[in-house]
Amino acid sequence: MGDLITMDDLTNEEIIQILDAANTLLPIARGEAYLPLLQGKVLGNLFFENSTRTRMSFETAMKRLGGEVLNLSTIGSSVAKGETLYDTMQMVDGYSDIAVIRHPRQGAAQYSADAVNIPILNAGDGAGNHPTQTMLDLFTIREAHGSLEGLNVMMVGDLRYGRTTHSLSHALVRFGAKLTLVSPKSLKMPIEIVSDLKSHGAEINETEEMISSISSADVIYMTRIQKERFPDEDEYNKVADVYKLDASDLVEAKNEMIIMHPLPRVNELHPNVDSTEHAKYFQQAFNGVPTRMALLCRGLGIEVPKKVK
Amino acid sequence: MSEMRRVTAICNGTAIDHIPSGHALQVLKMLRLNVGRSNPISMVMNVPSGKMGRKDVLKIEDRELNQEELDRLALIAPKASVAIIRNYGVAEKRTIELGSELINIVKCSFSNCITQNNREPLPHKLKVISSEPMEVRCSYCGRNQNVDEMVDYII
């Protein structure tokens, strides 16, 4: 019921409702008010792969709403002894009311949802999907542009393994976005995703060149070339630094254009971009808190009030 | 001479006609009839067919294939015609149906799919996105499967 595995689990209307709820929860996310909507509830935070923002923002989101968090990491747990995901999930099912899972294997979130009764939120499954990131990305885009409709969005970098771009592109085309997909040939968006996007009637332009599309973009979504997904280092080195966005590249950009990045960044986004009006990536990282609060409430069937004092 | 008669009529068993030319061996593999000591099987390959140009035919003696087994064939021989033979006559005709989901028939081929760990106990599930052209996708990881290679991933 309350699972969120891919963006297909949410209708456009539900997406808007969740973003509205997240907006209402902003003062709680900032710590300016306290609203224990999730008191007595326990979140299982299951990270089988590294995470900074996702793990911490889920934990903050749960705690700011009065809930408790159980953390599992693969180091020091029976996962290291070879326990199956199925067995681990049976334990989590018994110990918590909702679970967030990140796993290096693709399909792990759907598998977990099939294995247990509690709601599962996918926080990244291999190179698959990352829908809670997409929700905070949409929150950030709507915050800046006032709407999600009909935007010109550039996605840059590792579109093959970059799960954030997989989920975000699915969501954006449903709101009529025009996508420019910028990547080296070896890291193009997987064909099944491009074919799905086109079946939604999306206008998609795939290119290897970044600079010429900047002036028409409403959003530039930069991503890191993910070293950990490459089978060998030589292949990684060939494409590691192909895209580097610098403040000087932005002279022709629209004033209202925003630059996003799921972070962490390496060299693709120069620190001199941070002080420009376009930079929204740190705000985006904070937005994980109110958005994930709203998603936890949805998962647990708790209604968010229309107004928070 | 009917092409079905290139081999002797069988007394009891299953006859599978209109298999795409050259695919009879894959059908046997799909039905797991290619291993161990199995029933007598007659195979005709690449014979002329009015409907298909060329086709393969299989006759399996003393074994009536059930619907679950036959539905496996939908992946490689969706238009095959199947007759259950009893006492040299056609006792029943069965059709092959491609369901919307293939459960525990074929494994996902993607090396990083969660189902690659054989100790994980949940069933392998592949979703049929479309039948013509055949498009099949893992229900867990979402990867499209190479239909021509799926026979190598039969469970």
Side-chain angles (χ1 to χ4, degrees):
Chain A
M1 252 307 272
D3 293 335
L4 179 58
I5 310 300
T6 75
M7 287 308 289
D8 286 343
D9 294 329
L10 299 174
T11 63
N12 285 14
E13 202 182 2
E14 284 174 305
I15 290 174
I16 298 296
Q17 280 167 2
I18 294 164
L19 297 184
D20 287 344
N23 201 46
T24 306
L25 292 168
L26 268 173
I28 323 286
R30 292 194 194 107
E32 296 161 3
Y34 182 60
L35 183 68
L37 287 176
L38 302 183
Q39 198 163 38
K41 301 289 184 188
V42 176
L43 163 69
N45 225 2
L46 316 175
F47 283 78
F48 297 85
E49 200 181 58
N50 295 339
S51 168
T52 305
R53 277 153 293 277
T54 307
R55 181 186 190 129
M56 286 176 69
S57 64
F58 262 116
E59 187 156 352
T60 305
M62 194 68 188
K63 288 181 170 168
R64 293 250 195 239
L65 290 173
E68 302 284 337
V69 182
L70 284 178
N71 278 299
L72 173 129
S73 67
T74 41
I75 302 157
S77 77
S78 288
V79 175
K81 300 177 191 166
E83 187 172 55
T84 59
L85 179 58
Y86 181 88
D87 284 3
T88 305
M89 292 312 296
Q90 300 313 306
M91 303 309 109
V92 178
D93 197 29
Y95 303 155
S96 52
D97 302 298
I98 186 168
V100 167
I101 178 168
R102 169 170 290 182
H103 199 282
R105 284 212 182 254
Q106 205 160 316
Q110 182 60 57
Y111 188 89
S112 302
D114 285 6
V116 297
N117 292 316
I118 57 168
I120 299 294
L121 307 182
N122 182 5
D125 60 329
N129 290 277
H130 196 354
T132 72
Q133 174 76 38
T134 294
M135 289 303 294
L136 74 90
D137 292 343
L138 295 176
F139 186 88
T140 308
I141 293 172
R142 193 176 76 154
E143 200 174 42
H145 287 287
S147 152
L148 296 173
E149 300 291 335
L151 296 166
N152 230 329
V153 181
M154 268 172 82
M155 293 186 178
V156 184
D158 177 1
L159 307 184
R160 180 175 176 190
Y161 299 111
R163 56 196 172 199
T164 61
T165 62
H166 299 168
S167 290
L168 182 59
S169 59
H170 267 127
L172 283 170
V173 299
R174 285 161 47 184
F175 289 96
K178 187 181 153 201
L179 300 182
T180 302
L181 305 178
V182 185
S183 70
K185 270 207 177 73
S186 60
L187 295 176
K188 281 175 75 170
M189 186 74 90
I191 39 172
E192 52 265 60
I193 296 181
V194 175
S195 121
D196 277 358
L197 298 177
K198 287 185 175 162
S199 74
H200 279 95
E203 194 180 323
I204 290 170
N205 171 28
E206 293 186 88
T207 170
E208 288 178 61
E209 201 275 319
M210 171 175 74
I211 301 295
S212 64
S213 304
I214 292 177
S215 60
S216 58
D218 297 309
V219 176
I220 300 179
Y221 196 94
M222 296 297 294
T223 65
R224 178 175 64 95
I225 310 272
Q226 303 175 92
K227 195 174 184 178
E228 65 274 25
R229 309 252 179 247
F230 279 78
D232 70 79
E233 196 156 336
D234 289 348
E235 287 301 310
Y236 169 73
N237 289 333
K238 278 184 204 164
V239 290
D241 284 332
V242 281
Y243 302 115
K244 290 182 178 177
L245 193 66
D246 188 280
S248 63
D249 296 325
L250 303 173
V251 281
E252 303 214 342
K254 294 182 189 174
N255 286 338
E256 64 277 18
M257 183 276 285
I258 60 168
I259 299 169
M260 298 170 67
H261 193 304
L263 304 177
R265 64 175 156 182
V266 192
N267 293 322
E268 64 278 5
L269 198 47
H270 195 279
N272 66 17
V273 178
D274 298 0
S275 56
T276 69
E277 290 288 309
H278 305 293
K280 293 288 179 222
Y281 29 90
F282 296 126
Q283 178 64 24
Q284 180 189 358
F286 163 76
N287 286 342
V289 182
T291 312
R292 290 181 168 125
M293 283 177 164
L295 288 169
L296 287 166
C297 289
R298 170 190 174 264
L300 289 163
I302 304 282
E303 201 174 326
V304 175
K306 296 275 175 244
K307 259 190 179 174
V308 174
K309 278 177 192 170
Chain B
M1 182 176 79
S2 157
E3 295 305 334
M4 288 291 278
R5 290 294 159 83
R6 278 180 189 258
V7 291
T8 324
I10 61 172
C11 177
N12 293 303
T14 307
I16 307 173
D17 198 0
H18 300 115
I19 297 167
S21 182
H23 285 66
L25 289 167
Q26 290 188 342
V27 168
L28 288 178
K29 196 172 174 193
M30 204 74 158
L31 295 171
R32 300 189 188 114
L33 293 169
N34 60 330
V35 282
R37 271 195 285 169
S38 186
N39 305 52
I41 295 170
S42 312
M43 178 167 28
V44 180
M45 291 180 79
N46 306 323
V47 293
S49 153
K51 264 199 222 167
M52 307 172 71
R54 302 247 164 212
K55 66 173 182 179
D56 292 0
V57 181
L58 279 171
K59 292 183 182 183
I60 302 140
E61 289 181 46
D62 299 322
R63 171 99 188 260
E64 294 188 7
L65 295 177
N66 63 33
Q67 196 62 44
E68 191 268 325
E69 287 173 304
L70 292 174
D71 289 345
R72 290 168 163 261
L73 298 188
L75 287 171
I76 43 176
K79 290 180 179 154
S81 23
V82 180
I84 303 295
I85 310 289
R86 288 178 202 138
N87 198 20
Y88 296 103
V90 176
E92 257 178 74
K93 287 198 170 182
R94 294 205 177 142
T95 48
I96 292 170
E97 278 176 41
L98 183 60
S100 58
E101 200 161 40
L102 306 167
I103 297 176
N104 267 346
I105 294 176
V106 188
K107 286 183 191 176
C108 173
S109 62
F110 177 42
S111 59
N112 197 36
C113 179
I114 184 68
T115 58
Q116 291 286 328
N117 177 356
N118 331 331
R119 289 172 46 246
E120 291 293 351
L122 289 183
H124 295 266
K125 289 198 285 188
L126 301 175
K127 238 181 287 178
V128 178
I129 306 292
S130 84
S131 51
E132 275 182 54
M134 182 91 74
E135 192 183 342
V136 177
R137 195 173 283 185
C138 175
S139 299
Y140 298 109
C141 74
R143 280 289 180 108
N144 273 13
Q145 306 294 303
N146 181 332
V147 178
D148 295 332
E149 289 173 5
M150 276 172 70
V151 71
D152 297 331
Y153 293 93
I154 292 167
I155 296 166

